[in-house]
């Protein structure tokens, strides 16, 4: 579609482990990501959310290989070499900021590194930019924070630093993979509203990976539901919440604590076993911009 910033056709991720048969982890999915919107990627742990995001970023490690038929960014066809060179303006933040921060380096060092790579400015301007960015992500005493080390900051503040570092890459797409899972509830809400604020200010496209439908309801314009390496349903948040079309989405919604639609706790395990037997489903159109995997 015209309004899509990113389109990937028939994306698979294959694992080649020595001594075992190659295994398809992501099973030929199509991604259509609407520009300037927040798209939620939901699904249980292990459904392939992170793998899909890493495939987009070309961050797959070791024995994992991604394949696709067609990859377009802002309507332009991108070949695999260009993705490998990481020329695309896509930035990512992860669940645990500590894995992306060097404990031996100051906050200022981290920010200046990113600025050096993405902005052509003098040292003094770079420092000013870093401090401005710290203010934008809601970090107080920005000047002092520049000299502090990651362990001197709280988890929430470290995640704010990650948002700052991501934004300094001047991304058009921000991928946030469970950015608040490791944080407590009040801090979670703060980080989410920060992401929302930056998204609105900069007209960013956000891919927000979460296993929490509450977060989706609060944040997302569009939703992609994943199960066992496949997309089972895709639509606007409204469509997914009020007219879920695929049985799996319906059951996921029923399983939300406090949801009055149903109180039976569905066995996802049972569902997954049944679902797996239908190997090659097609996506079918349910309504305008609303797709589900054929059942
Ligand atoms: N390095 C790896 N090699 C092979 N399989 C992996 C690897 N990492 C994850 N997996 C498998 O891929 C599937 C999808 O994982 P992942 O994308 O991390 O799920 P999610 O983010 O939805 O929790 C899981 O079944 C997981 O066990
Ligand atoms: Mg994950």
């Amino acid at each position: 579609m015209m309004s899509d910033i990113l389109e990937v056709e028939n994306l698979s991720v294959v694992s080649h482990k020595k001594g075992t048969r190659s295994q398809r982890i992501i099973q030929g999915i199509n991604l259509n990501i609407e520009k300037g919107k927040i798209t939620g990627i939901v699904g249980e742990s292990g459904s392939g959310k992170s793998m899909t995001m890493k495939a987009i970023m070309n961050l797959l490690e070791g024995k994992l290989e991604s394949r696709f038929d067609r990859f377009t960014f802002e309507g332009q066809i991108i070949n695999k070499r260009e993705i490998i060179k990481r020329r695309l303006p896509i930035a990512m933040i992860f669940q645990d900021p500590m894995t992306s921060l060097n404990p031996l380096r100051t906050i200022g060092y981290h920010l200046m590194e990113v600025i050096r790579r993405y902005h052509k400015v003098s040292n003094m301007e770079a420092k000013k930019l870093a401090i401005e960015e710290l203010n934008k992500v809601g970090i107080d005493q920005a000047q002092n924070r520049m000299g502090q080390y990651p362990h001197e900051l709280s988890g929430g503040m470290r995640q704010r630093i990650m948002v700052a570092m991501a934004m300094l890459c001047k991304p058009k797409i921000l991928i946030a993979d469970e950015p608040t899972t490791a944080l407590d509830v009040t801090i979670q809400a703060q980080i989410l509203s920060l992401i929302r604020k930056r998204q609105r200010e900069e007209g960013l496209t956000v891919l927000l990976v979460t296993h929490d439908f509450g977060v989706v309801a609060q944040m997302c314009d569009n939703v992609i539901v994943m199960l066992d390496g496949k997309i089972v349903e895709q639509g606007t948040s409204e469509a997914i919440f009020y007219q879920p079309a695929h049985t799996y989405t319906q059951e996921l919604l029923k399983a939300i604590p406090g949801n009055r639609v149903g109180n039976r706790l569905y066995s996802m395990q049972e569902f997954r076993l049944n679902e797996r037997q239908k190997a090659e489903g097609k996506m079918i159109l349910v309504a305008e911009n609303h797709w589900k995997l054929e059942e």
Side-chain angles (χ1 to χ4, degrees), residues 192-211:
L192 290 174
S193 84
L194 170 66
I195 291 173
R196 170 120 247 182
K197 176 172 153 269
R198 298 310 302 271
Q199 182 262 337
R200 285 194 179 135
E201 284 171 357
E202 325 265 338
L204 260 186
T205 303
V206 174
L207 291 177
L208 179 65
V209 175
T210 176
H211 57 258

mmCIF file of all heavy atoms in Angstrom, residues 192-211:
data_model
loop_
_atom_site.group_PDB
_atom_site.id
_atom_site.type_symbol
_atom_site.label_atom_id
_atom_site.label_comp_id
_atom_site.label_asym_id
_atom_site.label_seq_id
_atom_site.Cartn_x
_atom_site.Cartn_y
_atom_site.Cartn_z
ATOM 1 N N LEU A 192 6.560 4.009 28.038
ATOM 2 C CA LEU A 192 5.633 3.923 26.911
ATOM 3 C C LEU A 192 5.155 5.298 26.483
ATOM 4 O O LEU A 192 5.091 5.604 25.294
ATOM 5 C CB LEU A 192 4.437 3.028 27.275
ATOM 6 C CG LEU A 192 4.763 1.543 27.401
ATOM 7 C CD1 LEU A 192 3.554 0.771 27.907
ATOM 8 C CD2 LEU A 192 5.240 0.969 26.067
ATOM 9 N N SER A 193 4.868 6.157 27.471
ATOM 10 C CA SER A 193 4.375 7.470 27.064
ATOM 11 C C SER A 193 5.499 8.311 26.456
ATOM 12 O O SER A 193 5.255 9.140 25.580
ATOM 13 C CB SER A 193 3.636 8.186 28.205
ATOM 14 O OG SER A 193 4.528 8.836 29.040
ATOM 15 N N LEU A 194 6.738 8.044 26.868
ATOM 16 C CA LEU A 194 7.878 8.699 26.215
ATOM 17 C C LEU A 194 7.973 8.275 24.748
ATOM 18 O O LEU A 194 8.150 9.113 23.854
ATOM 19 C CB LEU A 194 9.184 8.357 26.953
ATOM 20 C CG LEU A 194 10.477 8.772 26.253
ATOM 21 C CD1 LEU A 194 10.603 10.285 26.153
ATOM 22 C CD2 LEU A 194 11.702 8.191 26.965
ATOM 23 N N ILE A 195 7.843 6.975 24.496
ATOM 24 C CA ILE A 195 7.916 6.479 23.116
ATOM 25 C C ILE A 195 6.792 7.106 22.282
ATOM 26 O O ILE A 195 7.005 7.574 21.166
ATOM 27 C CB ILE A 195 7.847 4.935 23.082
ATOM 28 C CG1 ILE A 195 9.135 4.351 23.692
ATOM 29 C CG2 ILE A 195 7.640 4.415 21.660
ATOM 30 C CD1 ILE A 195 9.140 2.852 23.872
ATOM 31 N N ARG A 196 5.602 7.150 22.860
ATOM 32 C CA ARG A 196 4.451 7.741 22.183
ATOM 33 C C ARG A 196 4.721 9.229 21.852
ATOM 34 O O ARG A 196 4.446 9.701 20.764
ATOM 35 C CB ARG A 196 3.233 7.587 23.089
ATOM 36 C CG ARG A 196 2.029 8.323 22.657
ATOM 37 C CD ARG A 196 0.881 7.381 22.408
ATOM 38 N NE ARG A 196 0.588 7.384 20.989
ATOM 39 C CZ ARG A 196 -0.384 6.690 20.434
ATOM 40 N NH1 ARG A 196 -1.117 5.883 21.164
ATOM 41 N NH2 ARG A 196 -0.610 6.779 19.153
ATOM 42 N N LYS A 197 5.271 9.947 22.826
ATOM 43 C CA LYS A 197 5.540 11.375 22.657
ATOM 44 C C LYS A 197 6.531 11.593 21.515
ATOM 45 O O LYS A 197 6.303 12.407 20.619
ATOM 46 C CB LYS A 197 6.090 11.929 23.970
ATOM 47 C CG LYS A 197 6.501 13.391 23.934
ATOM 48 C CD LYS A 197 6.842 13.888 25.335
ATOM 49 C CE LYS A 197 7.827 15.036 25.308
ATOM 50 N NZ LYS A 197 9.242 14.645 25.381
ATOM 51 N N ARG A 198 7.636 10.829 21.532
ATOM 52 C CA ARG A 198 8.645 10.982 20.486
ATOM 53 C C ARG A 198 8.086 10.592 19.123
ATOM 54 O O ARG A 198 8.391 11.187 18.107
ATOM 55 C CB ARG A 198 9.892 10.144 20.813
ATOM 56 C CG ARG A 198 10.616 10.544 22.096
ATOM 57 C CD ARG A 198 10.920 12.023 22.209
ATOM 58 N NE ARG A 198 11.735 12.539 21.110
ATOM 59 C CZ ARG A 198 13.055 12.557 21.095
ATOM 60 N NH1 ARG A 198 13.723 12.154 22.144
ATOM 61 N NH2 ARG A 198 13.705 13.011 20.061
ATOM 62 N N GLN A 199 7.242 9.547 19.124
ATOM 63 C CA GLN A 199 6.624 9.093 17.879
ATOM 64 C C GLN A 199 5.791 10.215 17.274
ATOM 65 O O GLN A 199 5.867 10.488 16.073
ATOM 66 C CB GLN A 199 5.772 7.853 18.168
ATOM 67 C CG GLN A 199 5.103 7.243 16.957
ATOM 68 C CD GLN A 199 3.657 7.667 16.813
ATOM 69 O OE1 GLN A 199 3.001 8.067 17.768
ATOM 70 N NE2 GLN A 199 3.165 7.592 15.589
ATOM 71 N N ARG A 200 4.997 10.888 18.114
ATOM 72 C CA ARG A 200 4.141 11.978 17.613
ATOM 73 C C ARG A 200 4.966 13.158 17.160
ATOM 74 O O ARG A 200 4.736 13.722 16.091
ATOM 75 C CB ARG A 200 3.175 12.423 18.707
ATOM 76 C CG ARG A 200 2.069 11.432 18.908
ATOM 77 C CD ARG A 200 0.943 12.046 19.731
ATOM 78 N NE ARG A 200 -0.122 11.081 19.891
ATOM 79 C CZ ARG A 200 -0.739 10.832 21.042
ATOM 80 N NH1 ARG A 200 -0.398 11.515 22.136
ATOM 81 N NH2 ARG A 200 -1.697 9.938 21.098
ATOM 82 N N GLU A 201 5.958 13.534 17.977
ATOM 83 C CA GLU A 201 6.775 14.700 17.651
ATOM 84 C C GLU A 201 7.513 14.533 16.332
ATOM 85 O O GLU A 201 7.652 15.468 15.566
ATOM 86 C CB GLU A 201 7.802 14.949 18.760
ATOM 87 C CG GLU A 201 7.210 15.574 20.002
ATOM 88 C CD GLU A 201 8.208 15.597 21.161
ATOM 89 O OE1 GLU A 201 9.343 15.075 21.010
ATOM 90 O OE2 GLU A 201 7.835 16.123 22.215
ATOM 91 N N GLU A 202 8.027 13.325 16.111
ATOM 92 C CA GLU A 202 8.906 13.124 14.954
ATOM 93 C C GLU A 202 8.203 12.424 13.792
ATOM 94 O O GLU A 202 8.848 12.109 12.798
ATOM 95 C CB GLU A 202 10.140 12.283 15.354
ATOM 96 C CG GLU A 202 10.654 12.513 16.749
ATOM 97 C CD GLU A 202 11.792 13.527 16.816
ATOM 98 O OE1 GLU A 202 12.448 13.728 15.800
ATOM 99 O OE2 GLU A 202 11.981 14.113 17.900
ATOM 100 N N GLY A 203 6.923 12.121 13.933
ATOM 101 C CA GLY A 203 6.224 11.378 12.881
ATOM 102 C C GLY A 203 6.837 10.008 12.631
ATOM 103 O O GLY A 203 6.838 9.503 11.525
ATOM 104 N N LEU A 204 7.379 9.435 13.702
ATOM 105 C CA LEU A 204 8.054 8.139 13.613
ATOM 106 C C LEU A 204 7.077 7.002 13.334
ATOM 107 O O LEU A 204 5.915 7.069 13.724
ATOM 108 C CB LEU A 204 8.656 7.801 14.975
ATOM 109 C CG LEU A 204 10.101 8.000 15.331
ATOM 110 C CD1 LEU A 204 10.334 7.401 16.716
ATOM 111 C CD2 LEU A 204 10.992 7.314 14.316
ATOM 112 N N THR A 205 7.597 5.967 12.702
ATOM 113 C CA THR A 205 6.868 4.712 12.622
ATOM 114 C C THR A 205 7.431 3.816 13.719
ATOM 115 O O THR A 205 8.651 3.700 13.840
ATOM 116 C CB THR A 205 7.096 4.054 11.249
ATOM 117 O OG1 THR A 205 6.696 4.976 10.236
ATOM 118 C CG2 THR A 205 6.321 2.747 11.121
ATOM 119 N N VAL A 206 6.571 3.225 14.524
ATOM 120 C CA VAL A 206 7.064 2.398 15.634
ATOM 121 C C VAL A 206 6.549 0.962 15.492
ATOM 122 O O VAL A 206 5.383 0.741 15.178
ATOM 123 C CB VAL A 206 6.629 2.973 17.008
ATOM 124 C CG1 VAL A 206 7.018 2.033 18.145
ATOM 125 C CG2 VAL A 206 7.237 4.358 17.234
ATOM 126 N N LEU A 207 7.452 0.015 15.672
ATOM 127 C CA LEU A 207 7.061 -1.387 15.803
ATOM 128 C C LEU A 207 7.258 -1.751 17.260
ATOM 129 O O LEU A 207 8.384 -1.755 17.757
ATOM 130 C CB LEU A 207 7.943 -2.280 14.921
ATOM 131 C CG LEU A 207 7.750 -2.135 13.423
ATOM 132 C CD1 LEU A 207 8.726 -3.015 12.662
ATOM 133 C CD2 LEU A 207 6.334 -2.519 13.065
ATOM 134 N N LEU A 208 6.164 -1.999 17.944
ATOM 135 C CA LEU A 208 6.226 -2.238 19.377
ATOM 136 C C LEU A 208 5.913 -3.699 19.665
ATOM 137 O O LEU A 208 4.782 -4.151 19.501
ATOM 138 C CB LEU A 208 5.220 -1.323 20.089
ATOM 139 C CG LEU A 208 5.136 -1.449 21.597
ATOM 140 C CD1 LEU A 208 6.440 -1.029 22.261
ATOM 141 C CD2 LEU A 208 3.988 -0.602 22.139
ATOM 142 N N VAL A 209 6.944 -4.440 20.051
ATOM 143 C CA VAL A 209 6.757 -5.854 20.364
ATOM 144 C C VAL A 209 6.328 -5.982 21.815
ATOM 145 O O VAL A 209 6.951 -5.409 22.710
ATOM 146 C CB VAL A 209 8.078 -6.637 20.154
ATOM 147 C CG1 VAL A 209 7.914 -8.087 20.595
ATOM 148 C CG2 VAL A 209 8.525 -6.553 18.712
ATOM 149 N N THR A 210 5.270 -6.716 22.047
ATOM 150 C CA THR A 210 4.797 -6.882 23.418
ATOM 151 C C THR A 210 3.995 -8.182 23.534
ATOM 152 O O THR A 210 3.495 -8.699 22.538
ATOM 153 C CB THR A 210 3.911 -5.688 23.847
ATOM 154 O OG1 THR A 210 3.394 -5.925 25.149
ATOM 155 C CG2 THR A 210 2.756 -5.455 22.884
ATOM 156 N N HIS A 211 3.930 -8.731 24.735
ATOM 157 C CA HIS A 211 3.009 -9.853 24.898
ATOM 158 C C HIS A 211 1.786 -9.391 25.686
ATOM 159 O O HIS A 211 0.979 -10.179 26.137
ATOM 160 C CB HIS A 211 3.699 -11.048 25.557
ATOM 161 C CG HIS A 211 4.296 -10.722 26.878
ATOM 162 N ND1 HIS A 211 5.650 -10.512 27.043
ATOM 163 C CD2 HIS A 211 3.725 -10.516 28.068
ATOM 164 C CE1 HIS A 211 5.867 -10.202 28.297
ATOM 165 N NE2 HIS A 211 4.716 -10.192 28.944
#
